[in-house]
């Protein structure tokens, strides 16, 4: 194994680790959005208690949809940590 192959493998592994870290950052957005959604729902229910059922069902649907962004980021990070390095190492020899 020459020095260039070793360097290429190191760069590939570092790229996977950096990419996984950036993908995990995608979990920040849904957390902030879900917190805002729950806060606004509590505020609306406090003002109009009779709309609790409609507000709660809409809030749960919105939170579920926004949570998928965080899950996609998490799955991408797992793939970059556990699947991609093996594929890169096969390619680099």
């Amino acid at each position: 194994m020459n020095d260039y192959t070793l360097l290429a493998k190191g760069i590939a592994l570092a790229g996977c680790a950096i990419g996984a870290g950036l993908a995990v950052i995608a979990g920040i957005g849904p957390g902030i959005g879900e917190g805002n959604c729950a806060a606004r729902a509590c505020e609306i229910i406090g003002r109009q208690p009779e709309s609790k059922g409609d507000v709660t069902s809409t809030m749960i649907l919105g939170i579920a949809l926004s949570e998928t962004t965080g899950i996609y980021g998490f799955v991408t990070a797992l793939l970059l940590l556990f699947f991609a390095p093996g594929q890169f190492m096969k390619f680099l020899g």
Side-chain angles (χ1 to χ4, degrees), residues 1-19 80 84-86 88-93:
M1 181 183 310
N2 59 20
D3 290 338
Y4 294 116
T5 305
L6 187 62
L7 180 64
K9 288 183 178 185
I11 290 172
L13 290 175
C16 287
I18 291 170
L80 282 171
F88 282 129
M89 294 310 120
K90 285 182 204 174
F91 177 72
L92 294 173

Side-chain angles (χ1 to χ4, degrees), residues 17-28 69-70 72-78 80:
I18 291 170
L22 291 174
V24 170
I25 291 176
I28 293 173
T69 306
Y72 290 148
F74 180 66
V75 169
T76 302
L78 288 178
L80 282 171

